Amino acid sequence: MISLGSVLRDLTRPDPGAERLVPPTGTGAWLTIFSAGVMAFLAVFALALSLAAGRLADRWSDALARTSTIRISAEAAQVQAQVDAVMAVLQSTPGIADARPLSDEEERALLAPWFGADLPLDTLPIPKLVEITEGGDGYDPEGLRQRLAAEAPGATLDDHARWRQPLAAAASRLRLLGWGSLILILATTGAVITLAANASLAANAPVLRVLRQIGAQDGYIARAFVRRFTLRTLGGSATGVLVALVAIWLTPSAQAAEGFLTGLGFTGAGWLLPWLLPPLCGAVAFAATRAAAFRKLAEMP
Amino acid sequence: MTGMLSKAGAVASQQGNRVIAFDNVAYSYGGAELLSGVTLALQPGSFHFLTGPSGAGKSTFLKLCHGELLATQGTVTLFDRDIRGVNRDGLARMRRRVGMVEQDCRFLDHLPVATNVTLPLSVTGREADPQDLSDLLHWVGLTRHAGALPPQLSGGERQRAALARAIIMSPDLLLADEPTGNLDWDMSLRLLTLLVELNRMGKTILIATHDLHLIRAAKTQVNARVLRIRAGRLELAGADL
Ligand SMILES: Nc1ncnc2c1ncn2[C@@H]1O[C@H](COP(=O)(O)OP(=O)(O)OP(=O)(O)O)[C@@H](O)[C@H]1O
Ligand SMILES: [Mg+2]
């Protein structure tokens, strides 16, 4: 078994001995670094997508779903009576933490974006709104609807869930896609490194044969390749992460618009999360190269 | 030179009673059997030549000794261990006690000759004593080429570099495949002196060669025996030379 300590020692200790055994390669090295960089760059976006989708899903399914509204449309004279009836019903409904009719001011503020600030609420047949905040496990919307129909015929329960549910589900699915992409990107990194390592091992087969013949053990020979590919991958992916973070940081914030893009950046300590990618890619490269080297060496007596 | 060799000389006495043993060994590359019914034991400190016509299987025999080929029948024992039963790391460790000069000497072409010569030490984490290295290179006549890359060497220079690499870690057993194939007579004698000197320190020597002059010259200096491969069989050819 290989211990983490010995792996880290191998990577950090300057070891020209083992490494110079393998002739330096020109373009191969840059292609590996470039691929690792691109993969890390894409992985940062996949990560950002997952986190954003996660935040969106949480917000839609949790925070927003905790409130709903009851709309009361009635003759002006009957509005107050209906509001009272609705409030009475709500008072005796389990799972409701708070309920309160919106004031005219609040309704005006809600409608202002569409109809302008000086809306004559009294002269227009605008429905009265009651805002409900759920508590505990929430209420049973069907039961409440039936009771409202009996007590206050002008009242309609709008529990948002009807249109919010698919959105929350879509956001969850998006989060899953993000994580799936992340895993695929890491797997592709492993595949690319394996291809590069195989090419390098094949090109250096005569070197491996000589080393085997003079008594070098497989682990020693593999180390030269493993060290090289792991360091290249670490360097490439660190660069990729840096570039991706700068790109995200420079993306104009859509915070105010409350749109989908709101969450695509990282927040707070989230900016540190992508830095897990270089060591992760490095670990993938380490394992892939080591496996490839031992496979190649097994062909040699 | 002698300083380096005598330092390691003491180790030789620790080995078992047979350096190499073949027990009814057969080998084929897939077609007909190239070697068959080979039984042989090389005692520590012995000096053997291996002869036979081209294509008889001399190189094949040496590769069987070194574990590069596995016998298709019978057992090959190196340092009292069945080669077939040794894992890869174990085989690598055993090879550190064997100096091998191949017929087609191969090197790491991107590293200078001196580095190639000390490679057997480097891969075990040791460093060559600079004085020993320079003595060794001087003895094989490669001082001038220490910094050259292997592809820049002549055939004979490659052979000498391969021999230097094979003996740098003072192996208990030296296997050499036509080590004087490309050398002039003076240089051949010089290398022979080196091999005889190694043998006097207790190293076991096995040399495949066509060079009857070399065999005769050796016989005046050491008690060398001659093995011959004929029609797939290994036989002792002592008196007729
Ligand atoms: N890898 C291989 N695959 C198939 N046949 C081989 C292989 N290597 C050698 N042979 C055959 O085995 C036979 C013996 O080869 P080997 O190299 O052992 O001969 P040799 O006695 O060393 O000859 P030489 O004196 O010319 O070096 C030859 O006929 C050769 O063609
Ligand atoms: Mg041969």
Side-chain angles (χ1 to χ4, degrees):
Chain A
M1 251 341 269
I2 39 171
S3 73
L4 183 64
S6 74
V7 167
L8 292 180
R9 229 175 6 259
D10 279 354
L11 290 178
T12 48
R13 186 182 51 191
D15 183 17
E19 195 157 15
R20 77 193 160 152
L21 297 180
V22 188
T25 49
T27 49
W30 287 109
L31 287 177
T32 311
I33 294 172
F34 175 75
S35 311
V38 171
M39 288 301 164
F41 183 85
L42 296 176
V44 170
F45 283 101
L47 185 66
L49 176 71
S50 316
L51 294 180
R55 280 197 295 271
L56 222 50
D58 288 348
R59 195 187 313 153
W60 278 338
S61 58
D62 186 42
L64 284 184
R66 305 301 286 176
T67 62
S68 35
T69 45
I70 290 175
R71 203 168 62 237
I72 300 160
S73 319
E75 304 271 318
Q78 287 187 24
V79 167
Q80 198 48 51
Q82 295 245 354
V83 169
D84 291 343
V86 166
M87 292 305 285
V89 168
L90 291 177
Q91 226 98 78
S92 59
T93 306
I96 288 179
D98 186 34
R100 81 190 167 83
L102 294 188
S103 68
D104 284 356
E105 290 309 306
E106 286 169 309
E107 291 210 1
R108 197 171 283 131
L110 270 180
L111 296 170
W114 283 274
F115 299 108
D118 34 61
L119 191 66
L121 274 187
D122 331 334
T123 59
L124 282 173
I126 302 288
K128 190 76 187 159
L129 296 177
V130 176
E131 191 183 79
I132 304 173
T133 306
E134 285 180 36
D137 293 338
Y139 60 88
D140 163 29
E142 275 322 302
L144 182 58
R145 247 180 220 112
Q146 281 167 17
R147 290 183 57 202
L148 286 175
E151 310 276 333
T156 320
L157 172 65
D158 182 358
D159 63 358
H160 302 272
R162 229 174 304 134
W163 62 272
R164 217 182 286 119
Q165 214 58 56
L167 278 184
S172 295
R173 187 62 54 84
L174 206 56
R175 166 167 52 184
L176 210 63
L177 272 176
W179 288 116
S181 310
L182 198 62
I183 288 168
L184 284 179
I185 289 170
L186 284 176
T188 309
T189 307
V192 168
I193 301 296
T194 301
L195 285 176
N198 277 341
S200 171
L201 286 159
N204 288 298
V207 171
L208 302 191
R209 216 162 271 130
V210 168
L211 291 173
R212 265 308 287 177
Q213 189 173 52
I214 59 169
Q217 293 182 334
D218 289 355
Y220 179 85
I221 303 172
R223 201 176 306 154
F225 290 89
V226 167
R227 188 179 142 85
R228 196 173 271 200
F229 279 93
T230 307
L231 291 180
R232 280 176 196 168
T233 307
L234 275 176
S237 53
T239 311
V241 166
L242 185 67
V243 172
L245 287 183
V246 168
I248 288 181
W249 186 62
L250 290 179
T251 305
S253 164
Q255 212 73 39
E258 279 286 318
F260 168 73
L261 281 173
T262 318
L264 198 55
F266 294 96
T267 50
W271 286 97
L272 294 177
L273 204 56
W275 291 106
L276 288 177
L277 286 169
L280 205 58
C281 292
V284 168
F286 179 92
T289 313
R290 201 177 147 85
F294 275 91
R295 234 179 3 253
K296 184 72 189 174
L297 282 164
E299 296 169 8
M300 293 170 193
Chain B
M1 183 76 235
T2 36
M4 176 187 81
L5 295 179
S6 55
K7 250 184 271 166
V11 182
S13 56
Q14 295 168 7
Q15 58 196 40
N17 55 355
R18 295 175 315 173
V19 179
I20 292 181
F22 276 52
D23 181 21
N24 200 24
V25 168
Y27 188 80
S28 98
Y29 280 106
E33 269 183 0
L34 181 64
L35 296 171
S36 61
V38 176
T39 299
L40 157 95
L42 295 190
Q43 308 301 323
S46 62
F47 197 124
H48 285 86
F49 286 103
L50 177 64
T51 62
S54 176
K58 300 183 293 296
S59 300
T60 305
F61 184 88
L62 293 186
K63 284 175 183 162
L64 286 167
C65 295
H66 202 232
E68 267 167 80
L69 298 175
L70 290 179
T72 43
Q73 247 180 60
T75 42
V76 175
T77 319
L78 180 61
F79 301 123
D80 291 317
R81 292 177 69 185
D82 182 351
I83 285 190
R84 206 184 294 278
V86 179
N87 66 16
R88 292 180 60 81
D89 279 356
L91 187 59
R93 277 193 297 272
M94 280 162 78
R95 281 180 178 162
R96 294 172 191 172
R97 300 174 59 190
V98 182
M100 174 80 159
V101 181
E102 282 181 300
Q103 197 165 9
D104 56 332
C105 321
R106 287 170 298 190
F107 299 93
L108 303 195
D109 288 343
H110 63 291
L111 296 178
V113 169
T115 310
N116 266 286
V117 166
T118 55
L119 216 49
L121 292 171
S122 332
V123 300
T124 58
R126 285 178 290 167
E127 262 180 55
D129 181 291
Q131 189 58 47
D132 287 350
L133 174 64
S134 113
D135 286 352
L136 181 57
L137 288 178
H138 177 71
W139 191 265
V140 298
L142 286 177
T143 306
R144 228 161 33 86
H145 301 284
L149 295 179
Q152 298 164 344
L153 298 185
S154 75
E157 286 160 354
R158 289 175 75 86
Q159 280 183 324
R160 286 180 272 152
L163 183 64
R165 182 179 66 186
I167 64 179
I168 186 107
M169 78 297 199
S170 194
D172 295 325
L173 168 66
L174 182 74
L175 303 170
D177 201 348
E178 305 278 5
T180 59
N182 291 311
L183 300 181
D184 58 72
W185 182 238
D186 279 351
M187 186 48 85
S188 297
L189 280 185
R190 201 178 159 85
L191 293 196
L192 181 65
T193 311
L194 179 60
L195 298 178
V196 167
E197 195 60 39
L198 285 166
N199 180 243
R200 293 222 169 100
M201 290 166 178
K203 316 291 186 191
T204 312
I205 314 271
L206 176 58
I207 300 167
T209 184
H210 286 114
D211 192 343
L212 297 185
H213 297 293
L214 187 75
I215 297 177
R216 284 203 194 93
K219 285 194 152 203
T220 65
Q221 299 180 49
V222 288
N223 179 21
R225 311 187 77 178
V226 181
L227 304 165
R228 178 183 295 150
I229 301 177
R230 182 183 281 165
R233 299 267 164 184
L234 190 72
E235 55 189 34
L236 203 57
D240 52 299
L241 279 158

